[in-house]
Amino acid sequence: MASITLENLAHSYHPNPDGDDDFALKDVNYTWEDGRAYALLGPSGCGKTTLLNIISGLLTPTHGRVLFADEDVTASSTAARNIAQVFQFPVVYDTMTVEQNLAFPLRNRRMEASYVAERVGRIAEMIGLQADLKKKARGLTSDLKQKISLGRGMVRDDVNAILFDEPLTVIDPHMKWELRTQLKSLHREFNHTMIYVTHDQTEALTFAEKVVVMHEGRVVQIGTPKELFETPAHSFVGYFIGSPGMNFVPVSVAGNKARLGDETFKLTHDYGNPNGDLKLGIRPEFISLTKGVGLPVRINRVQDVGRHKFINAALFDTEINITVDEGFEIETDMKNVILDPDKVSIFCDDWRIDAQSAGKMDGGAT
Amino acid sequence: MEKTVNQRAWFLVIPVLILVAFSSIIPMMTVVNYSFQDTFGGNNFFWVGLEWYRELLRSERLWDAFGRQLLFSSIILLIEVPLGILVALSMPKKGISASICLVLMSLPLLIPYNVVGTIWQVFGRADIGLLGRTLSDLGISYNYSQNAFDAWATVIAMDVWHWTSLVALLCYAGLRSIPNAYYQAAMIDQASRWSVFRFIELPKMRGVLMIAILLRFMDSFMIYTEPFVLTGGGPGNTTTFLSIDLVKMALGQFDLGPAAAFSLMYFLVILLISYVFYTVMITADKDEAQS
C-alpha cells in the first residue's frame, strides 16, 4: 500500500492531439493519500474513467507521471501495480463457478490454497453469495454477477488501491445501500486506498472522506462533503452538488459591496475590484423568504417534495430556487428574500473568489 | 379458445412442396429405387432387395475408403481448428491492416475447387512446380503421384491451405465480439495470457468454433474435386476417399445399383455424425446455462 501521486497528468484518445478540446483529461495534479476513501464525482464524459484507467495502468497517459509512493509506475503493467478495479458492468468468467471466480486473482498470484479458501469464504459472506459458491457464474442474474465482480475486486488484501468505476449501476436500489455500507466497513477494516467513481452525489457524499469533483477533464475541487457544499470552488461544483443546485445571480462587486439589480448588498468580505464575469452564488437552503425585508422577488411556483418545499422565484430576472422546511407557511405577501451573508460566495469567471476576510460585517439587504 | 378451421391455408404450402419434391425428394427416391434393383440397361429392372447393401458392407473396398475418409477428416480438423484459432488470435484488431488481412484470408475461399486442385498439382510438380522443384533441389525426394505419403501430405496441405481461413474468420468474428472490459478485468486480476485464452476467449468463441468444426467436418467428409484433380485417388487407391470411390463405381464401372446403395449409406453416415455432433453441442449448451 502506498500513496498514489499524479503529476501533470493529461490524456488524449487522439493519436495527435491538437488543442485543449482533444484531451479527455487536462493537467491533473493530485496525491491520493494512503488508506483513504475517495469519491471521484462528475458528470458522464468528464474523464473519471480515463483517470481511473490511468491509475490502474489500463491506459498510458499522453503526458505526465503516476507514482506509487516514490516509485514511478507510469510505464508499469497493470499486474505489476497490483491494483484492483471493479467495472461498471459485470465481468465474470463464464465457465468458472462463483468460487473459482472469486479465487481467480489469488490463484493468479499463486497464493496458498488455505489462504485462498479463507479469503473466498470471507468475501462470499460479505457479498452474500455463500449459498451460490458452487454454481456456474454464467447462469446468474446481472446483479449477482456484479457482486462477483465486486468480490473479485476485494479478495486480494495486499493491493495498492481498489478502484470502483460506478460499480453499483446495475444493482437494485436497496442492495446499493447495503453494498455501499459493506464497502465502507471493509475500508475501515483493511484501510485500502479506495477510489470510487460515480456521477451520483449522494453516493459520493456518503461513501467518501474526500470528494474529488471533475468537470471537463479537470479536477475542479477536492474537499470534504461539507466543504463542497458550503464553499464550492467552481460554479460547476455549486451547481452539481446539492439538490437543487446553487443559485447564481449576475452581480457587480466593489470592495465589500455587491450590486444586484438596483439594490446594494453588503458582503462579509472585501473582494477588491474583480474583473470578469461576476456572479453571486447562494444555496437554496440559505435564502429566507420574508415580508417586506430584503431583496424583492416574484414567486413563480412552489413544489412540495415531502420534507421540503422548493420555491422557484425570480430575483431581478434571474430564476432562483429557495428551499424551506415542510412546516413553513408561504403567505401571499412574502415578496422579499434575505440571503444569509455568511453563505454568499462570489464567482469570477466561474471560479470562487477566495476573499481575504475584511472583518465581519452586518449582512442583509439595505 | 375457439380455433378457426380453415384448411385452405394448405394451398399456400404447395409451391414449397413442389420445389422440394423436384429438388430433393424425387431424385433421392430415384436413388433409393436403384439401390434395391439391378439393371442391365434398356430400362429392365430386377428386384434384388438388400443384396447391394449386404455386398457393400462386406466389401473391403468400401471399408478402406471409409477408413481413409475418417483419417483424412480427423487430420484436417486437428490441424485446421488449432491453426485457425492461432491465426485469428494473431490477426490485427483494427485499422487498415485488419481489412487487408481479412481480404487476404478470404482469397483461398473464393477459388473454385477444381482450380485449387490444379494450383496444387502444378505447385507440387518436381519439374516446374515451386514446391516440388524446391524440395527436390534440397535433396528431399518428393513425388505426390508415386509416393502414398507424399500424396497424403499434399492433399492435407491443400485442404489446410484452402479452408483454414474459414475457421480463422469465424474465430476472428467470435473474438471481436468480446467486450474490452473482459480483457481489462483479466489484466486487473493478473491473469496470464493462457488464462485469458482459456477462460475468456475460448468460452466466448465456443459457439462459432462449434459451427466451424461442424462445417469443416461435413465438407471434408464429402471432399471430391480437389483430391480428384490433384491425385485422381492415387497412387493406387491411397487417396481414394468415399466420394471418389463412389464416382468410380457409378460412372467408371456404371454399377448403378451398388453405387445407389453406397450413396444412401454415405448420406446416412454424414447425417448421423452431424446429428450426434449437433445434439451434443446443444445439450452441452443447455447444461451450461442451467447449472
Side-chain angles (χ1 to χ4, degrees):
Chain A
M1 293 193 218
S3 63
I4 299 170
T5 307
L6 309 178
E7 249 180 43
N8 304 320
L9 212 60
H11 188 74
S12 170
Y13 290 101
H14 295 263
N16 300 304
D18 179 29
D20 233 22
D21 284 349
D22 282 353
F23 280 88
L25 209 61
K26 301 158 191 163
D27 198 32
V28 174
N29 284 286
Y30 189 62
T31 300
W32 311 83
E33 285 165 42
D34 185 18
R36 315 256 326 236
Y38 293 92
L40 197 53
L41 181 67
S44 304
C46 72
K48 294 170 300 193
T49 301
T50 307
L51 187 62
L52 220 58
N53 288 348
I54 287 174
I55 295 175
S56 62
L58 295 173
L59 274 178
T60 308
T62 314
H63 300 301
R65 301 200 301 160
V66 181
L67 304 150
F68 283 10
D70 294 322
E71 190 193 345
D72 187 343
V73 295
T74 317
S76 307
S77 70
T78 305
R81 297 187 193 194
N82 196 20
I83 217 159
Q85 186 169 359
V86 180
F87 300 92
Q88 185 171 8
F89 295 104
V91 176
V92 296
Y93 303 105
D94 283 343
T95 51
M96 296 188 195
T97 62
V98 174
E99 187 177 23
Q100 287 166 330
N101 257 285
L102 292 177
F104 192 56
L106 297 175
R107 296 220 170 108
N108 286 332
R109 288 176 70 74
R110 315 213 179 285
M111 299 294 185
E112 282 192 26
S114 58
Y115 172 76
V116 173
E118 184 220 312
R119 284 298 296 173
V120 168
R122 282 201 64 171
I123 295 297
E125 185 186 349
M126 222 188 88
I127 54 179
L129 281 178
Q130 285 146 304
D132 303 308
L133 277 180
K134 300 289 176 203
K135 279 192 196 164
K136 278 257 159 107
R138 173 177 166 155
L140 300 176
T141 59
S142 72
D143 60 331
L144 285 182
K145 282 185 179 174
Q146 185 65 348
K147 282 191 189 173
I148 297 175
S149 304
L150 272 169
R152 268 210 331 270
M154 298 181 296
V155 76
R156 282 176 280 165
D157 62 2
D158 61 343
V159 286
N160 280 312
I162 307 180
L163 315 178
F164 299 95
D165 190 356
E166 306 193 27
L168 303 182
T169 311
V170 294
I171 305 268
D172 275 353
H174 73 279
M175 200 61 215
K176 259 186 196 178
W177 183 258
E178 197 184 314
L179 280 174
R180 209 159 50 220
T181 316
Q182 279 169 350
L183 287 182
K184 280 202 89 164
S185 67
L186 182 94
H187 176 249
R188 272 195 294 274
E189 192 175 344
F190 290 104
N191 269 316
H192 287 125
T193 309
M194 286 188 174
I195 304 175
Y196 189 104
V197 164
T198 177
H199 61 253
D200 179 341
Q201 49 162 311
T202 329
E203 216 167 86
L205 301 179
T206 51
F207 175 79
E209 300 157 355
K210 276 208 164 181
V211 179
V212 178
V213 184
M214 287 187 71
H215 177 52
E216 289 178 346
R218 283 202 170 82
V219 172
V220 287
Q221 189 171 8
I222 298 153
T224 61
K226 187 171 186 287
E227 285 165 354
L228 295 181
F229 189 76
E230 291 186 351
T231 51
H234 188 271
S235 63
F236 172 77
V237 181
Y239 152 82
F240 197 67
I241 307 257
S243 173
M246 195 175 234
N247 296 303
F248 293 99
V249 187
V251 71
S252 55
V253 175
N256 64 352
K257 290 221 164 53
R259 204 164 166 77
L260 271 173
D262 45 17
E263 300 271 343
T264 308
F265 177 85
K266 232 186 221 170
L267 301 165
T268 51
H269 295 83
D270 189 342
Y271 290 90
N273 283 302
N275 276 319
D277 179 20
L278 290 181
K279 277 180 190 142
L280 179 149
I282 179 111
R283 293 218 171 263
E285 291 82 356
F286 304 131
I287 304 177
S288 32
L289 202 58
T290 62
K291 280 184 216 174
V293 192
L295 307 165
V297 291
R298 195 183 64 246
I299 294 180
N300 295 330
R301 60 181 179 273
V302 177
Q303 241 182 324
D304 196 333
V305 291
R307 281 174 50 225
H308 302 289
K309 282 177 191 161
F310 296 145
I311 302 164
N312 184 278
L315 173 68
F316 303 117
D317 301 329
T318 309
E319 271 199 21
I320 59 166
N321 290 303
I322 305 166
T323 308
V324 294
D325 289 336
E326 166 79 290
F328 185 84
E329 284 300 320
I330 301 163
E331 294 163 36
T332 46
D333 53 354
M334 289 183 162
K335 286 179 179 167
N336 293 79
V337 287
I338 294 179
L339 315 180
D340 181 345
D342 285 334
K343 310 291 186 185
V344 165
S345 302
I346 301 292
F347 293 85
C348 178
D349 294 329
D350 286 332
W351 291 94
R352 184 174 192 272
I353 304 177
D354 200 11
Q356 291 305 307
S357 173
K360 286 267 176 187
M361 294 186 190
D362 292 330
T366 48
Chain B
M1 201 180 82
E2 197 82 14
K3 264 192 185 169
T4 321
V5 179
N6 186 348
Q7 304 290 2
R8 272 174 301 178
W10 288 107
F11 286 109
L12 299 176
V13 186
I14 285 179
V16 176
L17 277 181
I18 292 174
L19 205 70
V20 172
F22 275 95
S23 71
S24 43
I25 296 174
I26 294 174
M28 173 103 169
M29 289 321 289
T30 317
V31 176
V32 171
N33 197 26
Y34 271 105
S35 77
F36 291 112
Q37 303 188 62
D38 197 0
T39 171
F40 300 103
N43 253 347
N44 294 317
F45 286 96
F46 304 92
W47 176 260
V48 292
L50 290 173
E51 188 52 37
W52 297 133
Y53 291 89
R54 255 183 244 122
E55 189 178 295
L56 276 170
L57 285 175
R58 277 195 300 265
S59 95
E60 214 169 284
R61 171 182 169 180
L62 179 106
W63 285 109
D64 283 353
F66 183 71
R68 283 191 289 270
Q69 188 69 70
L70 268 185
L71 184 66
F72 176 74
S73 287
S74 317
I75 291 177
I76 64 106
L77 278 181
L78 282 175
I79 297 175
E80 286 175 15
V81 172
L83 188 63
I85 294 174
L86 215 63
V87 169
L89 285 174
S90 45
M91 271 168 76
K93 288 170 183 57
K94 54 182 175 216
I96 184 81
S97 51
S99 316
I100 292 172
C101 243
L102 286 176
V103 171
L104 285 179
M105 300 286 297
S106 323
L107 276 181
L109 301 176
L110 299 174
I111 301 175
Y113 294 20
N114 55 351
V115 177
V116 171
T118 313
I119 290 175
W120 279 81
Q121 197 201 24
V122 175
F123 188 47
R125 275 174 62 166
D127 51 351
I128 53 164
L130 185 61
L131 174 74
R133 187 62 197 268
T134 313
L135 285 176
S136 54
D137 282 359
L138 286 171
I140 300 164
S141 97
Y142 167 82
N143 188 336
Y144 64 81
S145 60
Q146 300 288 319
N147 181 306
F149 179 82
D150 292 350
W152 267 80
T154 315
V155 172
I156 286 166
M158 177 175 65
D159 198 80
V160 168
W161 176 81
H162 195 182
W163 290 111
T164 304
S165 302
L166 178 77
V167 181
L169 290 176
L170 282 168
C171 291
Y172 185 72
L175 283 174
R176 290 286 71 73
S177 70
I178 302 174
N180 204 24
Y182 280 85
Y183 291 106
Q184 294 186 332
M187 271 200 252
I188 296 286
D189 293 337
Q190 311 188 353
S192 60
R193 182 67 191 90
W194 168 251
S195 295
V196 170
F197 175 69
R198 170 69 188 75
F199 298 114
I200 296 175
E201 291 171 332
L202 198 57
K204 297 272 176 202
M205 272 196 296
R206 216 183 106 102
V208 283
L209 212 50
M210 289 293 176
I211 291 170
I213 292 173
L214 191 62
L215 281 178
R216 279 318 298 134
F217 170 76
M218 291 197 314
D219 253 12
S220 66
F221 210 79
M222 298 187 288
I223 192 166
Y224 174 74
T225 319
E226 301 126 290
F228 181 76
V229 173
L230 182 67
T231 64
N237 270 335
T238 45
T239 55
T240 301
F241 300 122
L242 283 174
S243 58
I244 296 180
D245 206 17
L246 174 62
V247 172
K248 270 186 193 165
M249 193 183 283
L251 302 178
Q253 299 151 236
F254 223 72
D255 287 335
L256 293 185
F262 189 158
S263 311
L264 285 175
M265 289 194 291
Y266 193 4
F267 169 65
L268 288 177
V269 166
I270 291 177
L271 199 66
L272 181 77
I273 297 180
S274 301
Y275 176 76
V276 167
F277 191 81
Y278 179 78
T279 314
V280 168
M281 213 167 98
I282 293 294
T283 20
D285 235 27
K286 267 189 196 149
D287 284 353
E288 284 266 323
Q290 277 167 0
S291 62

